[in-house]
Every structure is written in C-alpha cells, then in structure tokens.
Amino acid sequence: MATWSMTAPVIWGIKGVMASVRRKNFGGNLLLQPASSYTPASEEEVLRILDGHSGERLRAVGGLHSWSEAPVADGVLLDLRRLNHVEMQQDAEGPVAVVGAGCRIKRLLEELDRQGGSTLPSLGLITQQTIAGAISTGTHGSGRNSMSHYVEGVRVARYDPATGKAIIEELNAGDGLRAARCSLGSLGIILTVRIRCRTQYDVEERFSEHRILADVLDAEASFPLQQFFLVPWRWSYVVQHRREGTGSRSRLAWLYRIYWLLVLDVGLHLLVLFFLRVMRSRRLIRLVFRRVVSLFVIRGWTVTDRSSSMLVMRHDLFRHIEIELFVRRPRLDDALHFAKEVLEVAGGVRSELSTDNQRRLGELGMQDDLAGLRGRYCHHYPICVRRVLPDDTLISMASGAGEDWYALSFISYGKPKDREGFFLFADFMARSMARLFEARPHWGKVCPLDAGELASLYPRFSDFRALCHRFDPDGVFRNRWTASLLDTETRDAASNRVEDA
Ligand SMILES: Cc1cc2nc3c(=O)[nH]c(=O)nc-3n(C[C@H](O)[C@H](O)[C@H](O)COP(=O)(O)OP(=O)(O)OC[C@H]3O[C@@H](n4cnc5c(N)ncnc54)[C@H](O)[C@@H]3O)c2cc1C
C-alpha cells in the first residue's frame, strides 16, 4: 500500500520508519514542505497516486543530494525508495541492468557485483544518490561520460493528454530517450532505469603534484581516468593519476582505504573545519593550504583495487555546498587562471584582475559585481577538476559532440548561516564564466543562472523544452524552478528538430 498523509508529520510506512513531511536536502539550503507525500511500493501505486491527484503539481525526489532547486516539491511528493529492485540482463553488448528508480547507487553497485560481477561504467564521488536522481541532473565522475549517457531506457509515469489518465511510457530511442537521460524530473515520474553496465574492473591510482597544467593534461594519455585538484593559495595541481588496472589488486589496498578514510575523508576535512569555523582566520586558512594540505597526500604509492572502491570517497560525511562549472577543453587553462584571480580578489589578497581579465570583465559590464565580491569570500577547499566525455543527451552538462568537458568544482564548508560570501562568489562565477567560457553549471549543484542564460548554453535546450511540453502539457511535473526554465518560450533554429520520442 502507498502511504499517504495530508498533514505533517507523516508516517512513511516503511516498516514503521517515521519521517517528517518537512525535509531538508543534504546541503541544508532547501526545505521541502509538500502538501502530501507518498512512498509507493509499485508502479500500480504510482499510477493510483497520479490519478488521485490529477491536476495537482507532483514531483519525485531521490536522495535529496542536490543543492539546486531541482528536487523542490511543494505539491505532491513521491519518494520512490521502495522501488529499488535490480534485475541483471545480458545482451549482445554485455550486461545491462533494469533498476527501480529509487535504488541508491550504493545498493545498485552491490547488486550488480553480486548478480553478475558487473558494475557501472561511470560513477560520481559518492553513492548516496538514487539512480533516477543521479541521471536526472547529469551526475558524472572523471574520464568517462556522465551516468546519463549510459541509460538505454526509462519507464516514466505521466498523464495521457487525451484521457487525463495516468499511463506508463517507455522511452528507449530518439530524443525522448535523450531527454529522459537528464530530465530534471520534468518528463514525469521515472519508475525504472535501464542502464548499460560493464564487467567489474580494477583501478590503479597514485598521486603526484605539478605546477604546470600542460603536464597534468599530458598525463591523461596514460591515465585516462585521472582527476586533479587545484590547491587554492598554493596554486599547484595535485593529480590523482588513474587508469584501469591490469595487474592484481594491491596487497595493501585495505591500508590505502583506511588512509583515505582517516586522513583525507575525515582528517583533512576536520582541519578545514577547524580553521574555518573555530579559528575563523583567513590568514591561517591560506597558510594551511599553502603549506600543510599537500602533506596529506602520499605521493608515489601506487595502489590497485576494485573500481567501486577507488572511484568514490566519503564526501558526504560533512555538510557542504558546491557549484560546479563545465568548460570545454580548449578553455580550461584560461578558465582556471580566471578562477584563480577571482578567488584572490574575493579572498582580499589582490584588488584587481590581470589587465586582460579586467578588460574582458569590463566588456561584460561586470566590474561592479567584482568590486562587490572583493574581500567577501575566502575559498577553503581544493578545486576538483574532472574530465567528462561528451554525452548523447539533450541537456546534461556534457551534452553535445565535440571536445571533452572539464568540470571545475568550488565547495564551501561554511555553516549554512555563513554562506553569503559563497553565494556572491558562485553567482559571479556562474554569470561571468557562462559569458567568457560558455561554462555550464551543474544542474544538481548551485545553479544561479536564469532561463535565458541557461538556454543559451545548450544548443538543444528548446528541443528539451518542446519535449517536456509534449509529455506534460499542463506542467504538473514542474516545480517553480523548472517551470521558470521550461515555460519561457525561446524559439531558435533548433526548436523543430525533435526526433521521434
Ligand atoms: C556529497 C555530494 C557529492 C556529490 N558528488 C557528485 C559527483 O561526484 N558528481 C556529480 O555529478 N554530482 C555529484 N553530486 C550531485 C548529485 O549527484 C546530484 O545532485 C544528484 O541529482 C542527486 O541525486 P538524488 O538521488 O539525491 O536526487 P535528488 O537530489 O533528490 O533529485 C534530483 C533530481 O532528480 C529528480 N528525480 C529524482 N527521482 C526521480 C524520479 N523517480 N522521477 C523523476 N525525477 C526524479 C528530482 O525531481 C530532481 O529534479 C554530489 C552531491 C553531494 C551532496
């Protein structure tokens, strides 16, 4: 039976577990106050809920690990955590999994391994997201396409415009599939995801530190899965060289895991929190990053272990907030220089950008915005840079053929009440980098651009809009944020190119 409540708090009916109707996201920046909430256990229950709420706004949520307004549900909230089955299949191209929308990635990985020695081809840094939530915002790792790209079919519940009744539709080809691969929850309620898998593999990893970006990028030929960190205030690159392992797993892999957990996942974060929240000293934060942080990294220790252990970390242990901006490879160097200069101005260690960047900012008419940022935000976390291969989707951040994308992430561990400086910085970076480098903000992270700015970054945005309107003409699966993106009509040349959905 689906559980249902019109008043808070609600009993969610999961073996006696109670949850309040009011829910906060991981980052603590969103409060969800839906009018009613359900945790359906079957597709039939989802259809019944839709039929019972016809004409109202509905929204599915996953693990609430987004910072953007994507999961905000103010009408009817559906939490599909009980639709979490995993069924392995085998076809000519290899293993493929049919997964219930609410299945967490962690459980999915365990099931894939247990049922057939398989795994996902691409993973984000954590495994707390649900499969539907992860693909709906284009979740990605490094060195591969985002997870969305590997989706081969989606079952979606929506309304039949002719009868007004809830129906289930399968999207497994054409632009319908491309839209469903990253849909911001706006096509309907995703019930199952069919995703291409691969046989289990190992990853070999070692750290090194470099001063020059070209050296880091050159190493990609040998380490295609690598990611790197620009260390603020030291301005060096700490590189996690990674590739598929060909030898056996390291005997000391267990020790490496303990090192990661205690030293990096916990120790490094406690150090940052201490200087940020207890000492509250920008000078000391800068000193720590210049002199201490890189000492946490053991260089030259090569370790090989299972991919699902090596590619993730416990980044979810401490609450934080993040903006991530995607630029094409030819713009990476320029974008990182720009980011460094802006961080120095925001941190109060320089008053202006370099002459070139100052001129470019002048052309955008954004000098006053930079002046407003001066001295307002001291960045305090390594800037993670990950390569994402172009996705075959309509609007995931890496969508569109061409050069690889690089995602630059800026994370703040400031308390929720102390985030004003971060939001100023995030807003400035998103707007300036969109115009200077055509940088696309992650859909699931802080995403401060308006509909026009976002649409201009995606050649196929109007196609996505058209499909959303075809699937959901009354906009019942939109929340306020996605309605602001999707209900604005911007006609362009691409708008009639929607293939069969
Ligand atoms: C600590 C941390 C680390 C992260 N690391 C990474 C990373 O390495 N790479 C990366 O790219 N991102 C990362 N993210 C972002 C995260 O992967 C995305 O925001 C993802 O969308 C969250 O999934 P979720 O299950 O929590 O979904 P939610 O945040 O609950 O929802 C996301 C979207 O999915 C929609 N949705 C959910 N379920 C359904 C459904 N059944 N039907 C239709 N729509 C649905 C929601 O409506 C919403 O629009 C990280 C986030 C955190 C907090």
Side-chain angles (χ1 to χ4, degrees), residues 60 62-66 70 125 129-130 133 136-137 139-140 190 386 442:
L64 290 179
H65 276 60
S66 297
L125 281 179
Q129 312 94 327
T130 61
S136 294
T137 63
T139 297
H140 66 95
I190 297 174
R386 291 179 281 178
H442 193 304

Side-chain angles (χ1 to χ4, degrees), residues 254-271 296 298 313-314 317-318:
W254 62 272
L255 187 60
Y256 191 64
R257 295 265 66 79
I258 292 176
Y259 152 73
W260 251 98
L261 180 68
L262 296 184
V263 177
L264 298 176
D265 291 341
V266 177
L268 176 65
H269 288 78
L270 288 178
L271 184 81
F296 279 58
I298 303 178
M313 61 184 287
R314 290 307 311 274
L317 288 181
F318 300 96

Side-chain angles (χ1 to χ4, degrees), residues 177-210:
L177 173 61
R178 290 191 187 95
R181 282 175 170 164
C182 174
S183 67
L184 310 177
S186 301
L187 287 184
I189 310 296
I190 297 174
L191 302 170
T192 60
V193 175
R194 185 179 155 86
I195 187 163
R196 176 60 53 190
C197 299
R198 54 164 296 173
T199 45
Q200 189 63 262
Y201 66 105
D202 292 339
V203 168
E204 174 198 305
E205 166 173 310
R206 77 176 159 78
F207 278 101
S208 69
E209 188 176 13
H210 297 264

Side-chain angles (χ1 to χ4, degrees), residues 361-486:
L361 212 57
E363 285 164 8
L364 299 180
M366 289 188 70
Q367 300 105 316
D368 288 348
D369 302 76
L370 183 70
L373 185 59
R374 199 171 291 141
R376 298 288 301 279
Y377 173 67
C378 179
H379 195 61
H380 50 264
Y381 199 75
I383 298 151
C384 182
V385 183
R386 291 179 281 178
R387 181 166 69 114
V388 190
L389 311 187
D391 291 337
D392 186 15
T393 60
L394 293 189
I395 62 150
S396 69
M397 295 75 70
S399 58
E403 297 271 359
D404 295 345
W405 292 87
Y406 286 79
L408 281 53
S409 91
F410 303 91
I411 291 178
S412 167
Y413 278 85
K415 289 184 186 156
K417 67 178 179 50
D418 293 332
R419 286 175 177 165
E420 200 191 339
F422 172 77
F423 282 122
L424 266 181
F425 167 74
D427 190 65
F428 177 84
M429 290 298 276
R431 286 192 299 117
S432 58
M433 290 203 23
R435 297 197 221 165
L436 292 173
F437 309 113
E438 296 179 64
R440 298 171 170 178
H442 193 304
W443 291 113
K445 304 188 180 179
V446 173
C447 189
L449 300 185
D450 66 28
E453 290 168 316
L454 285 166
S456 70
L457 297 170
Y458 292 90
R460 302 215 58 198
F461 200 83
S462 50
D463 297 335
F464 178 70
R465 259 189 198 137
L467 271 162
C468 289
H469 281 266
R470 194 195 293 175
F471 273 70
D472 177 25
D474 298 326
V476 296
F477 296 113
R478 283 165 226 161
N479 63 15
R480 218 171 314 177
W481 183 56
T482 55
S484 78
L485 306 178
L486 297 171

Side-chain angles (χ1 to χ4, degrees), residues 37-348:
S37 306
Y38 297 87
T39 55
S42 67
E43 295 190 342
E44 294 67 38
E45 288 186 0
V46 173
L47 292 181
R48 257 190 287 142
I49 293 165
L50 263 58
D51 281 333
H53 285 279
S54 139
E56 295 177 44
R57 279 198 190 239
L58 301 107
R59 195 141 190 91
V61 300
L64 290 179
H65 276 60
S66 297
W67 290 275
S68 73
E69 290 172 64
V72 172
D74 43 16
V76 181
L77 180 153
L78 282 87
D79 180 331
L80 274 67
R81 67 178 71 183
R82 296 203 285 169
L83 261 74
N84 67 353
H85 55 277
V86 178
E87 184 199 325
M88 284 303 298
Q89 297 173 355
Q90 197 77 26
D91 65 15
E93 288 165 50
V96 63
V98 178
V99 189
C103 182
R104 298 261 179 175
I105 303 297
K106 184 174 168 46
R107 187 176 122 74
L108 174 56
L109 291 173
E110 286 163 2
E111 280 300 307
L112 292 181
D113 191 47
R114 196 181 63 78
Q115 291 187 30
S118 305
T119 191
L120 293 172
S122 168
L123 275 182
L125 281 179
I126 59 158
T127 54
Q128 300 303 312
Q129 312 94 327
T130 61
I131 185 70
I135 65 161
S136 294
T137 63
T139 297
H140 66 95
S142 193
R144 301 244 164 81
N145 312 88
S146 67
M147 293 172 75
S148 302
H149 178 84
Y150 300 98
V151 172
E152 298 194 345
V154 173
R155 275 168 75 79
V156 186
R158 66 178 183 103
Y159 293 100
D160 179 348
T163 64
K165 287 281 184 204
I167 51 164
I168 294 176
E169 178 149 0
E170 297 212 10
L171 299 169
N172 38 36
D175 280 348
L177 173 61
R178 290 191 187 95
R181 282 175 170 164
C182 174
S183 67
L184 310 177
S186 301
L187 287 184
I189 310 296
I190 297 174
L191 302 170
T192 60
V193 175
R194 185 179 155 86
I195 187 163
R196 176 60 53 190
C197 299
R198 54 164 296 173
T199 45
Q200 189 63 262
Y201 66 105
D202 292 339
V203 168
E204 174 198 305
E205 166 173 310
R206 77 176 159 78
F207 278 101
S208 69
E209 188 176 13
H210 297 264
R211 288 274 156 199
I212 297 170
L213 180 66
D215 294 341
V216 178
L217 298 182
D218 283 351
E220 275 174 358
S222 308
F223 298 95
L225 301 181
Q226 76 178 22
Q227 61 189 17
F228 59 95
F229 300 86
L230 174 59
V231 183
W233 314 116
R234 181 176 175 86
W235 306 121
S236 69
Y237 299 102
V238 170
V239 187
Q240 237 172 318
H241 296 292
R242 281 174 172 168
R243 62 184 164 202
E244 290 199 22
T246 45
S248 53
R249 287 184 192 151
S250 306
R251 260 188 322 113
L252 292 183
W254 62 272
L255 187 60
Y256 191 64
R257 295 265 66 79
I258 292 176
Y259 152 73
W260 251 98
L261 180 68
L262 296 184
V263 177
L264 298 176
D265 291 341
V266 177
L268 176 65
H269 288 78
L270 288 178
L271 184 81
V272 169
L273 288 174
F274 177 73
F275 285 99
L276 181 73
R277 294 188 180 182
V278 182
M279 301 301 286
R280 299 176 74 91
S281 162
R282 292 182 171 193
R283 206 174 50 79
L284 287 178
I285 287 173
R286 287 198 294 268
L287 185 71
V288 163
F289 274 91
R290 236 186 340 260
R291 299 256 179 255
V292 184
V293 163
S294 64
L295 302 177
F296 279 58
V297 173
I298 303 178
R299 283 151 242 215
W301 184 10
T302 302
V303 177
T304 304
D305 199 2
R306 180 175 290 226
S307 62
S308 49
S309 302
M310 294 297 272
L311 298 177
V312 299
M313 61 184 287
R314 290 307 311 274
H315 205 214
D316 51 332
L317 288 181
F318 300 96
R319 176 179 291 180
H320 58 270
I321 194 160
E322 176 175 352
I323 182 167
E324 188 169 40
L325 298 164
F326 285 62
V327 297
R328 293 271 196 190
R329 184 183 172 108
R331 291 176 155 163
L332 177 62
D333 196 3
D334 206 2
L336 283 170
H337 269 108
F338 180 76
K340 170 180 178 282
E341 291 184 9
V342 174
L343 285 172
E344 287 175 334
V345 172

